[in-house]
Amino acid sequence: MTATREGGRRAAVVDTSRSPHACLRPLPLEAVRFDDVFWTPRLRTVRAMTLPSQYEQCERTGRIDNFRRAAGKKQVPFQGRYYNDSDVYKWLEAASFALAHDSGSAGAEAQAWLRRTVEAVIDEIAAAQSPDGYLNTYFTFERAAERFTNLTQMHELYCAGHLIQAAVAHHRATGERRLLQVATRLADHICATFGPQARLGTDGHEEIELALVELYRETGNRTYLDRAGFFLDMRGRQPPMLNGSVYLQDHLPVRAQREIVGHAVRATYLACGMADVYAETGEAALLEALEALWQSAFERKVYVTGGLGARWSGESFGDDYELPNERAYAETCAAIGGVMWNWRMLLCCGEARFADWLETALYNGVLAGLSLDGARYFYQNPLADRGRHRRRDWFETACCPPNVARLLMSLPGYCYSISDDELWVHLYVAGHVRAALPAAGTVSLRIETAYPWEGLIHCVIEEAPEVAASLVLRVPGWSAGAMSVRLNGKHTEAPVTAGGYVALRSHWRTGDEVELELPMPVRRLVAHPHVLADTGRVALARGPLVYCVEGADHPHVDVWDLELPDDAPVVAERRPDLLSGVVALVGEAVAAPAGAWDSQLYLPTGQQPPIPRQPTPLRAIPYYAWANREPGPMAVWLRRI
Amino acid sequence: MTATREGGRRAAVVDTSRSPHACLRPLPLEAVRFDDVFWTPRLRTVRAMTLPSQYEQCERTGRIDNFRRAAGKKQVPFQGRYYNDSDVYKWLEAASFALAHDSGSAGAEAQAWLRRTVEAVIDEIAAAQSPDGYLNTYFTFERAAERFTNLTQMHELYCAGHLIQAAVAHHRATGERRLLQVATRLADHICATFGPQARLGTDGHEEIELALVELYRETGNRTYLDRAGFFLDMRGRQPPMLNGSVYLQDHLPVRAQREIVGHAVRATYLACGMADVYAETGEAALLEALEALWQSAFERKVYVTGGLGARWSGESFGDDYELPNERAYAETCAAIGGVMWNWRMLLCCGEARFADWLETALYNGVLAGLSLDGARYFYQNPLADRGRHRRRDWFETACCPPNVARLLMSLPGYCYSISDDELWVHLYVAGHVRAALPAAGTVSLRIETAYPWEGLIHCVIEEAPEVAASLVLRVPGWSAGAMSVRLNGKHTEAPVTAGGYVALRSHWRTGDEVELELPMPVRRLVAHPHVLADTGRVALARGPLVYCVEGADHPHVDVWDLELPDDAPVVAERRPDLLSGVVALVGEAVAAPAGAWDSQLYLPTGQQPPIPRQPTPLRAIPYYAWANREPGPMAVWLRRI
């Protein structure tokens, strides 16, 4: 029943181990252990609170009953939206990752509950599968005849993709094949139904592409890779007069796309699929499109928090520099999609700019999606608010909650990667990693750090590889030019590569110590002048964290009335008592209460009412922590004076 | 066939002549003649181009065939959207107003074509009516059984309201009763179907309320007024757990509403209906709600152009101060709804603040909706753009084009009103007005002015009333404190009333001259500090016009890179050659090309790239005239330095 996979478990997140065109290979979750002041308690909360409560939500809302219904076990109507299966699959993926490692473990009892529940959910899923392999609980009984008749609207391939991802994660985490067999039967059904010699069709919500590549990696069945490519090729084939949908990236062939447009989650998932196919095929035209799309997204359309998708309308990307703050959509899922995409770009290309935005999104745009208590979620993540926007414990369309869970439960998999004789460190989390470098032997590394609160990364070689190897440390973009490296206590010249890493090559000995010092001054960020929403405003950041001001810390002034002089000192302040422990930024700002404007909305410059300006204490908190206290106004971007 | 109404025609726009709780009575269009440099050519264009081309669009798109189909004259499928009847009705209302007056006449031949076409369209409409009075071409034949089964979605009462408005306008304009009879039969059917003792129901798109009040005014049948009140009362009656729709203002009883929310056109039309009912009933709770809603709209949610409805999502109002520029929705119809609402508030209360926003919307947010050639339309009216947003010659949902037409064709009706012994002037348009003041006799006034380009209003009494009477002149908010009045050439002290007017009481003699001087300096407007989108920005205005900068006038600099120093002189410049003749604003700004930012989206303050700043000529054009030349960037709000 719980037979362990031959050769041990290996729960990699995007397994490019044998991908010929990826320059980095991931490490499995099991190779990484967190012992971290920031992440360990958070992952414990996800295990103890988020995963169980999401399972309960899936039961309460009929999402699992839908499988029981499809299997004939329960005579109830289908409940909820036609894409609700995907939430169960994403929960299962998160739970599978949680089974793979014990970082932040909630204890043996909780792990046993999780294992039992995962098995039980797999039972329900397996029983709901049609004999021909088809599986979608919405298209059963009276709707069975409608299967695959409305590919662009009905999310069947999207749900299938999430089942495949869950199955791959479950197989990697546990070595068990049962869910993988369900997924391969469905994938085989899809591959038999669609293809160059079979039916054509554009999937409405990308996801199947990246899933099929991962299934190819897991099974070796090249048909899955071919069909992933096929589904990419299907996009943008409408005759021009029919105007293929920009919303679902069907307006142009993927290789001709240069601007990231449409529904933001769809767009990032498509980019993931493109990158996954590229990693296997090395097709230059795909990488060229990916690079242009990445620049479009991360040089012109991303929020300072890593949030993606400015528009509520269509949950979509806006135009270049269209980044409103109070009406940012910035769906949690889109920030996660950005993490997934950047991770794939990083594996393919090994450049720190991808890790930079991955990290920014993780610590800000994604993490804000989950309450500190692990039980409530943001769907949208505005950068300014009047106190109305609050997390909710579930949604009718509940894509974001399990998406956060699966990302955080797989986080150890995003921290490191390897090449033949290199160990790369992308994210700095205190703990331990052990990796077999193919051309150098096993290396084991302990990392001590108080990151993201402090910038000192202390690395100790606990097991040295047999021959010379490189420790490749990411230099975050925000610290470029200021970082320093000490080797066994001595300063060492360590040039930053074009890709943004420091590569330390040595014949390491056990006990060798490397210290990377990333100075963490408070940064005052300004935006490109064409970001109309940020004109005359400044945002505070420190390390990977973007900060905001919140009403709860400013009882006597509306934070929308704060002005920050360029020369006002702002310093970091450790506050273990605040918001589960943060480093706050404190200083003196100016309160400029707008009350004197009264009922006036527009006034000539000469007739502006006198605003009494007076110094007022400023306290900024990490953006991820906002809206965990009483409701009140919030702002990331302050008026700059 | 063309029997003239007994007692002469009287095409008033909102006829409060006998409304007990309105303090002002409108003048019919026929009482007003335009001879105006600004409006006369525009109205001529609407007659010569807009009305005929809209009729052609209605034919081309099957909107009129839908009536022929319903009448059994044509066997064709229903074409277009289920609310398409309303476009024909709004066109008919516009055409009816055009028959009432000859301001900007396009000549006898065009007028004859219009008269014939109006008659022919009425033929089609009348023939499509069911024997029981029901009339909606979508709900015919196979859909007849669905009549009034989905009141919140299917716009049947909305279409009915527009038919009633068209019929009232046609009857007032021509004295003919044929269309009015069609409308009353439909209204009778609605009143028999719905009511406190019949069916209940909330209309999804308000319009029936204001229409029924006008039909009551036109026919004297009090049932129509009662049902208008009934439809108001229907809103907000969902039990709290059902969450009545904010989108269609069904979240609270109308008398409990204090914030303007939801779909902006719906919200303004609802307010019109509330004001119309108030004018008849004097119910204090309605006026109290109206005042709060008005403050919400015009003190916290209106664009500087008079545009309403910030959000694309739901075409709806945003939160207080949520006024993004490049993604302003600001639907042309909503600006028109704002004009209609302010006109009703003005008639009820006689305060210039209502006329101020009416005028601002008219000259900016509404007029931008129509191209200078009269044949293309904006649906949305952003306040900043990169050159992609262009007017189109029609829309699948074509509410805006005929809405602009009916407003402009009825414009003479918005300029004046009367009370017992007062002639009020709200909008300054050169021409002539003749009005019978009930307690003072007939007054005839000639106005000479180059408004909105110049602020001198020269009034000549051409026919003096028999006894003392008041000439009540609006003092626009932007000129308060600076205006002056001359009576027969001599300066006179003329205090501005609390309501924002100058009331000149005199026993007038023929030949008396009044000059109102409204200085028109260039105004630099700033927005309330909570309008995040306008931080650090300034907008230029002069008189009632808001200005913008456009790429066509700045070939060597991206207008999004312009900075306007507070001390840079900006002056008015007459440009009869430009954009059908405008007063442009010219001065010297600073070009600060953002190109040096290259691919950076966010930078620390210390690392901003050096931006080469250099003086550059500035030319601003009236906002209404933008996008009439080659595409390029546009901005209303400039960076202020």
Side-chain angles (χ1 to χ4, degrees):
Chain A
M1 195 67 177
T2 54
T4 300
R5 171 194 168 75
E6 207 175 358
R9 300 181 300 173
R10 47 165 194 84
V13 179
V14 184
D15 189 358
T16 55
S17 304
R18 290 177 300 273
S19 304
H21 302 280
C23 76
L24 298 177
R25 297 163 222 164
L27 284 183
L29 304 186
E30 302 84 350
V32 179
R33 201 183 64 237
F34 282 4
D35 184 14
D36 186 76
V37 64
F38 189 89
W39 285 111
T40 299
R42 275 187 171 69
L43 298 198
R44 187 181 301 131
T45 299
V46 174
R47 284 172 184 272
M49 172 58 81
T50 311
L51 288 178
S53 64
Q54 290 187 356
Y55 174 75
E56 287 308 313
Q57 292 285 6
C58 285
E59 284 285 12
R60 186 185 64 77
T61 58
R63 280 166 164 84
I64 299 177
D65 269 353
N66 285 340
F67 287 95
R68 298 186 181 111
R69 170 184 173 275
K73 299 178 187 176
K74 272 202 172 182
Q75 268 69 51
V76 289
F78 180 89
Q79 290 178 71
R81 304 287 181 92
Y82 52 89
Y83 40 69
N84 275 6
D85 289 1
S86 62
D87 302 324
V88 178
Y89 298 146
K90 276 194 285 189
W91 178 86
L92 201 51
E93 187 181 351
S96 298
F97 287 131
L99 294 177
H101 65 102
D102 63 358
S103 304
S105 169
E109 195 177 328
Q111 197 79 340
W113 173 85
L114 194 62
R115 195 174 301 274
R116 281 197 313 275
T117 308
V118 164
E119 287 300 314
V121 171
I122 292 174
D123 287 344
E124 305 297 3
I125 293 170
Q129 189 164 37
S130 296
D132 65 357
Y134 184 89
L135 177 47
N136 185 303
T137 70
Y138 184 78
F139 291 97
T140 47
F141 307 117
E142 72 282 6
R143 293 200 197 90
E146 297 168 43
R147 290 175 182 174
F148 296 139
T149 56
N150 189 351
L151 215 58
T152 55
Q153 298 289 330
M154 297 309 290
H155 287 33
E156 284 164 286
L157 295 177
Y158 170 82
C159 289
H162 277 302
L163 170 60
I164 293 168
Q165 279 199 289
V168 167
H170 185 255
H171 183 245
R172 288 178 185 166
T174 65
E176 294 163 25
R177 303 191 64 85
R178 197 156 60 106
L179 189 60
L180 190 67
Q181 281 161 353
V182 174
T184 51
R185 287 176 60 206
L186 173 55
D188 291 343
H189 179 80
I190 289 169
C191 292
T193 306
F194 296 96
Q197 268 73 52
R199 278 183 57 187
L200 308 181
T202 299
D203 179 32
H205 193 314
E206 298 91 327
E207 161 68 20
I208 189 69
E209 304 83 357
L210 69 93
L212 285 173
V213 179
E214 280 278 84
L215 189 60
Y216 155 69
R217 289 169 180 154
E218 199 61 11
T219 63
N221 182 343
R222 198 170 170 97
T223 302
Y224 301 144
L225 174 61
D226 292 342
R227 284 303 182 281
F230 161 81
F231 283 120
L232 290 183
D233 295 343
M234 284 298 93
R235 308 198 92 77
R237 290 163 50 102
Q238 299 275 8
M241 64 287 280
L242 282 186
N243 276 333
S245 168
V246 169
Y247 173 72
L248 47 92
Q249 297 80 42
D250 195 27
H251 58 302
L252 282 174
V254 295
R255 292 165 185 80
Q257 294 190 22
R258 291 293 180 271
E259 182 182 0
I260 192 105
V261 292
H263 188 268
V265 179
R266 286 167 163 81
T268 53
Y269 284 18
L270 171 61
C272 289
M274 293 165 68
D276 275 330
V277 170
Y278 168 79
E280 305 305 323
T281 66
E283 186 193 344
L286 272 182
L287 187 62
E288 197 180 316
L290 278 166
E291 176 64 31
L293 290 170
W294 189 91
Q295 289 181 19
S296 171
F298 292 97
E299 295 181 354
R300 294 186 292 278
K301 297 194 182 187
V302 66
Y303 282 99
V304 70
T305 55
L308 295 174
R311 293 183 183 172
W312 280 65
S313 174
E315 309 187 311
S316 74
F317 281 100
D319 289 333
D320 287 351
Y321 308 113
E322 178 193 324
L323 295 162
N325 289 307
E326 74 272 48
R327 280 290 282 181
Y329 198 76
E331 183 180 337
T332 305
C333 280
I336 292 169
V339 168
M340 292 162 52
W341 179 14
N342 274 302
W343 179 235
R344 285 160 174 80
M345 297 301 283
L346 183 59
L347 292 175
C348 287
C349 307
E351 293 177 33
R353 60 184 169 133
F354 303 120
D356 280 352
W357 278 112
L358 188 163
E359 183 182 58
T360 298
L362 173 67
Y363 279 99
N364 303 284
V366 172
L367 202 52
L370 182 64
S371 62
L372 293 180
D373 66 8
R376 289 167 300 125
Y377 312 91
F378 274 144
Y379 201 112
Q380 302 86 15
N381 292 276
L383 280 76
D385 188 58
R386 297 301 301 162
R388 286 196 195 180
H389 190 71
R390 306 298 288 177
R391 292 184 188 83
R392 293 171 51 191
D393 61 6
W394 198 245
F395 305 94
E396 205 171 306
T397 296
C399 47
C400 300
N403 221 352
V404 171
R406 70 176 182 144
L407 175 63
L408 295 186
M409 281 295 94
S410 61
L411 187 60
Y414 286 95
C415 298
Y416 303 92
S417 62
I418 59 170
S419 63
D420 281 350
D421 59 355
E422 299 166 328
L423 175 64
W424 292 56
V425 190
H426 306 297
L427 299 178
Y428 296 110
V429 179
H432 186 272
V433 61
R434 189 162 188 270
L437 306 180
T442 296
V443 59
S444 175
L445 189 75
R446 191 176 79 243
I447 289 189
E448 294 161 3
T449 181
Y451 198 88
W453 308 125
E454 294 174 22
L456 179 65
I457 322 291
H458 187 93
C459 309
V460 182
I461 304 285
E462 296 199 321
E463 184 179 356
E466 293 140 36
V467 298
S470 293
L471 183 60
V472 185
L473 303 174
R474 172 172 153 257
V475 180
W478 47 261
S479 69
M483 68 87 201
S484 61
V485 177
R486 283 185 295 277
L487 191 53
N488 292 322
K490 285 185 198 158
H491 177 79
T492 182
E493 282 305 319
V496 179
T497 66
Y501 284 77
V502 166
L504 302 167
R505 189 162 188 85
S506 176
H507 194 147
W508 300 97
R509 290 177 304 180
T510 299
D512 274 351
E513 298 185 37
V514 174
E515 282 186 321
L516 175 66
E517 176 85 51
L518 304 170
M520 281 192 177
V522 175
R523 302 195 306 287
R524 293 161 193 252
L525 299 177
V526 290
H528 188 290
H530 287 193
V531 183
L532 303 186
D534 296 338
T535 300
R537 294 186 173 269
V538 59
L540 296 174
R542 182 172 174 272
L545 295 168
V546 174
Y547 280 72
C548 68
V549 290
E550 202 180 24
D553 297 307
H554 301 85
H556 306 302
V557 56
D558 183 337
V559 299
W560 281 32
D561 289 334
L562 288 178
E563 300 184 337
L564 185 60
D566 268 358
D567 57 2
V570 178
V571 298
E573 179 187 69
R574 296 197 61 158
R575 286 294 304 272
D577 56 314
L578 188 65
L579 295 163
S580 305
V582 298
V583 168
L585 302 185
V586 296
E588 193 174 273
V590 173
W597 273 71
D598 194 32
S599 60
Q600 301 295 331
L601 191 49
Y602 304 103
L603 284 174
T605 47
Q607 295 173 29
Q608 287 173 262
I611 300 275
R613 283 181 163 76
Q614 57 181 28
T616 194
L618 171 85
R619 184 198 288 157
I621 60 165
Y623 174 75
Y624 74 75
W626 84 278
N628 279 287
R629 294 172 292 177
E630 67 273 21
M634 180 279 288
V636 169
W637 292 93
L638 305 175
R639 284 206 301 277
R640 178 188 180 192
I641 55 173
Chain B
M1 193 67 175
T2 53
T4 299
R5 169 194 169 75
E6 206 175 356
R9 299 182 300 172
R10 46 166 195 85
V13 179
V14 185
D15 189 357
T16 55
S17 303
R18 289 178 299 275
S19 304
H21 302 279
C23 77
L24 298 177
R25 297 162 220 165
L27 284 184
L29 304 185
E30 303 84 350
V32 179
R33 201 182 64 236
F34 282 4
D35 184 13
D36 184 77
V37 63
F38 189 88
W39 285 111
T40 299
R42 277 187 169 71
L43 299 198
R44 187 182 299 129
T45 299
V46 175
R47 285 171 183 273
M49 170 59 79
T50 311
L51 289 177
S53 64
Q54 290 187 356
Y55 173 77
E56 287 308 315
Q57 292 285 6
C58 285
E59 283 285 12
R60 186 185 64 76
T61 59
R63 281 167 165 81
I64 298 177
D65 269 353
N66 285 341
F67 287 94
R68 298 185 182 112
R69 170 184 173 275
K73 298 178 186 176
K74 271 201 171 182
Q75 268 70 51
V76 290
F78 179 88
Q79 290 178 71
R81 304 288 181 92
Y82 50 90
Y83 41 68
N84 274 6
D85 288 1
S86 63
D87 302 324
V88 178
Y89 298 147
K90 277 193 285 190
W91 179 87
L92 201 52
E93 187 181 350
S96 296
F97 288 131
L99 294 177
H101 64 103
D102 63 358
S103 305
S105 171
E109 195 178 330
Q111 199 80 340
W113 172 85
L114 194 62
R115 194 174 301 273
R116 280 197 315 275
T117 308
V118 165
E119 288 299 315
V121 171
I122 292 174
D123 287 344
E124 305 296 3
I125 293 170
Q129 189 164 36
S130 296
D132 65 357
Y134 184 89
L135 178 47
N136 185 304
T137 70
Y138 184 78
F139 291 97
T140 47
F141 307 118
E142 72 283 5
R143 292 200 197 89
E146 298 168 42
R147 289 174 184 175
F148 295 139
T149 57
N150 189 352
L151 214 58
T152 55
Q153 297 289 329
M154 297 308 291
H155 287 34
E156 283 163 288
L157 294 177
Y158 169 82
C159 289
H162 277 302
L163 170 60
I164 292 168
Q165 279 200 289
V168 167
H170 185 255
H171 182 245
R172 289 179 185 166
T174 65
E176 293 164 25
R177 303 191 63 85
R178 196 157 61 106
L179 189 60
L180 189 67
Q181 281 161 353
V182 173
T184 53
R185 286 176 62 207
L186 174 55
D188 292 342
H189 179 79
I190 290 169
C191 292
T193 305
F194 296 96
Q197 268 74 52
R199 278 182 56 187
L200 307 180
T202 300
D203 179 33
H205 194 314
E206 298 92 327
E207 161 69 19
I208 190 69
E209 303 83 357
L210 70 93
L212 284 174
V213 179
E214 281 277 83
L215 189 61
Y216 155 69
R217 290 169 179 153
E218 199 61 12
T219 64
N221 182 345
R222 198 170 170 95
T223 302
Y224 301 144
L225 174 61
D226 293 341
R227 284 304 181 281
F230 161 81
F231 282 119
L232 291 183
D233 295 343
M234 284 296 94
R235 308 198 93 77
R237 290 163 48 103
Q238 299 275 8
M241 63 287 279
L242 282 186
N243 275 333
S245 168
V246 168
Y247 174 71
L248 46 91
Q249 297 80 43
D250 194 27
H251 58 303
L252 282 174
V254 295
R255 291 165 186 80
Q257 294 190 22
R258 291 294 180 272
E259 181 182 0
I260 192 106
V261 292
H263 189 268
V265 180
R266 285 168 164 83
T268 52
Y269 285 18
L270 171 61
C272 290
M274 291 166 67
D276 275 330
V277 170
Y278 168 79
E280 305 305 323
T281 66
E283 186 193 342
L286 272 182
L287 187 61
E288 198 180 316
L290 278 166
E291 176 64 31
L293 290 170
W294 188 91
Q295 289 181 20
S296 171
F298 292 98
E299 295 181 355
R300 294 187 293 277
K301 298 195 182 188
V302 66
Y303 282 98
V304 70
T305 55
L308 294 174
R311 294 184 182 171
W312 279 64
S313 173
E315 308 187 312
S316 73
F317 281 101
D319 289 332
D320 288 351
Y321 307 114
E322 179 193 325
L323 295 161
N325 290 306
E326 73 271 49
R327 280 290 281 182
Y329 198 77
E331 183 179 338
T332 305
C333 281
I336 292 169
V339 167
M340 291 162 50
W341 180 14
N342 274 301
W343 178 235
R344 285 160 175 80
M345 296 301 284
L346 183 58
L347 291 175
C348 287
C349 308
E351 294 177 31
R353 58 185 168 132
F354 304 119
D356 280 352
W357 278 113
L358 187 162
E359 183 182 59
T360 298
L362 173 67
Y363 278 99
N364 302 284
V366 171
L367 202 52
L370 182 65
S371 63
L372 293 180
D373 66 8
R376 289 167 299 126
Y377 312 91
F378 274 144
Y379 201 112
Q380 302 84 16
N381 292 276
L383 280 77
D385 188 59
R386 297 300 303 161
R388 286 195 196 180
H389 190 71
R390 307 298 287 177
R391 291 184 189 83
R392 293 170 52 190
D393 61 6
W394 198 244
F395 305 93
E396 207 172 304
T397 295
C399 48
C400 299
N403 221 352
V404 170
R406 70 177 181 144
L407 175 63
L408 295 186
M409 281 295 93
S410 61
L411 187 61
Y414 285 95
C415 299
Y416 303 92
S417 63
I418 60 170
S419 62
D420 280 351
D421 60 354
E422 299 166 328
L423 174 64
W424 292 56
V425 190
H426 307 296
L427 299 178
Y428 297 111
V429 179
H432 186 273
V433 60
R434 187 164 189 270
L437 306 181
T442 296
V443 59
S444 175
L445 188 75
R446 191 175 80 242
I447 290 189
E448 294 162 2
T449 181
Y451 198 90
W453 307 125
E454 293 174 23
L456 179 65
I457 322 291
H458 187 95
C459 310
V460 182
I461 304 285
E462 296 200 320
E463 184 178 356
E466 292 139 36
V467 297
S470 293
L471 183 60
V472 185
L473 303 174
R474 171 173 153 256
V475 180
W478 46 262
S479 70
M483 68 89 202
S484 61
V485 178
R486 283 185 294 277
L487 189 55
N488 292 322
K490 284 184 197 156
H491 177 79
T492 182
E493 282 306 318
V496 179
T497 66
Y501 284 77
V502 165
L504 302 167
R505 187 159 188 88
S506 175
H507 195 150
W508 300 98
R509 290 178 304 182
T510 298
D512 275 350
E513 298 187 37
V514 174
E515 281 185 321
L516 174 66
E517 176 84 51
L518 304 171
M520 281 192 179
V522 176
R523 301 196 306 288
R524 292 161 193 252
L525 299 177
V526 289
H528 188 290
H530 286 194
V531 183
L532 303 186
D534 296 338
T535 300
R537 294 186 172 270
V538 60
L540 296 173
R542 182 173 175 272
L545 295 168
V546 174
Y547 281 72
C548 68
V549 290
E550 202 180 23
D553 297 306
H554 302 85
H556 305 303
V557 56
D558 183 336
V559 298
W560 282 31
D561 290 333
L562 288 178
E563 301 183 336
L564 185 60
D566 268 358
D567 58 0
V570 178
V571 298
E573 179 187 70
R574 297 197 59 156
R575 286 294 303 272
D577 56 312
L578 188 66
L579 294 162
S580 304
V582 297
V583 167
L585 303 185
V586 296
E588 193 173 272
V590 173
W597 273 72
D598 193 30
S599 60
Q600 301 297 330
L601 191 48
Y602 305 103
L603 284 174
T605 46
Q607 295 172 29
Q608 287 173 261
I611 300 275
R613 283 182 164 75
Q614 58 181 27
T616 193
L618 171 85
R619 184 198 287 157
I621 60 164
Y623 174 75
Y624 74 75
W626 84 279
N628 279 287
R629 294 172 293 179
E630 67 273 21
M634 179 279 287
V636 169
W637 291 93
L638 305 176
R639 282 207 301 276
R640 178 187 180 193
I641 55 174

